[in-house]
Amino acid sequence: MPSKKAPNPIDIHVGSRVRLRRMMLGMSQEKLGESLGITFQQIQKYEKGTNRIGASRLQHIATILKVPVAFFFEDAPGTPDETPGVGDNPQTTYVVDFLSSSDGLALNKAFVRIENPKVRKKVVELVKSIAGDEE
C-alpha cells in the first residue's frame, strides 16, 4: 500500500479558513458542495487539507462565501509577515480552531450582536476574570 503524503500546511490552512467562513455564514457542507456541484465529502476533504483546492474552484468558493480569495491565505504559515520564532502563528491557529468550534462560533455570533461598546468591554473583562487572565 503506498504511503500517503501528509497534507501541505498551506492546504490545511486554506481549508480551515473555508470551514471558518462557511460556519460564520451558518452554511452546511452540503449547501456549499451543492453550490459547487460537488459532494459534501469533497468539501470535508478540502476543509481538512486532504485535497488541494484548485485556483478556479477557490475563486468560486470565495464568491459563494462572499470573501476575497486573499481571505483564505490570511495568517498562512510561511507568509512574508511571519517572523520565525517571533510570529503569533500558534495564537492564530488557536483563534481559528476556537472560531471553528460550535461554542466559539456561538459565542462570537452572540458577542457581535451586543451593540453597546461598554457592555462588550464588560463581557470581555468577565471572561478574562473567569479564565484567571487579569491584566
Side-chain angles (χ1 to χ4, degrees):
M1 196 171 180
S3 67
K4 282 216 166 196
K5 219 170 71 166
N8 181 296
I10 297 289
D11 294 334
I12 293 170
H13 180 80
V14 168
S16 74
R17 298 286 290 183
V18 168
R19 175 175 160 76
L20 171 66
R21 181 62 183 162
R22 179 182 59 73
M23 291 181 79
M24 287 170 73
L25 295 175
M27 182 184 289
S28 68
Q29 288 178 328
E30 290 85 355
K31 178 92 170 75
L32 179 56
E34 212 174 87
S35 301
L36 293 165
I38 59 177
T39 65
F40 78 91
Q41 290 95 335
Q42 183 62 46
I43 298 298
Q44 285 177 329
K45 289 177 183 178
Y46 285 157
E47 290 182 355
K48 288 178 185 166
T50 310
N51 286 11
R52 179 171 289 159
I53 306 172
S56 58
R57 173 129 319 141
L58 190 60
Q59 176 67 56
H60 195 180
I61 290 170
T63 302
I64 293 164
L65 298 180
K66 299 177 176 77
V67 289
V69 171
F71 170 85
F72 302 115
F73 295 95
E74 286 173 7
D75 302 318
T79 51
D81 295 339
E82 189 178 296
T83 307
V86 182
D88 62 339
N89 205 20
Q91 181 75 22
T92 303
T93 302
Y94 176 77
V95 169
V96 170
D97 289 347
F98 171 71
L99 287 175
S100 295
S101 73
S102 56
D103 286 342
L105 195 60
L107 185 60
N108 187 56
K109 281 182 173 179
F111 185 79
V112 297
R113 287 196 314 265
I114 300 170
E115 292 179 18
N116 186 325
K118 288 180 181 174
V119 174
R120 280 183 174 211
K121 189 171 173 61
K122 288 291 184 193
V123 169
V124 171
E125 288 170 10
L126 173 66
V127 173
K128 281 183 169 182
S129 136
I130 291 169
D133 185 21
E134 299 295 324
E135 283 186 16

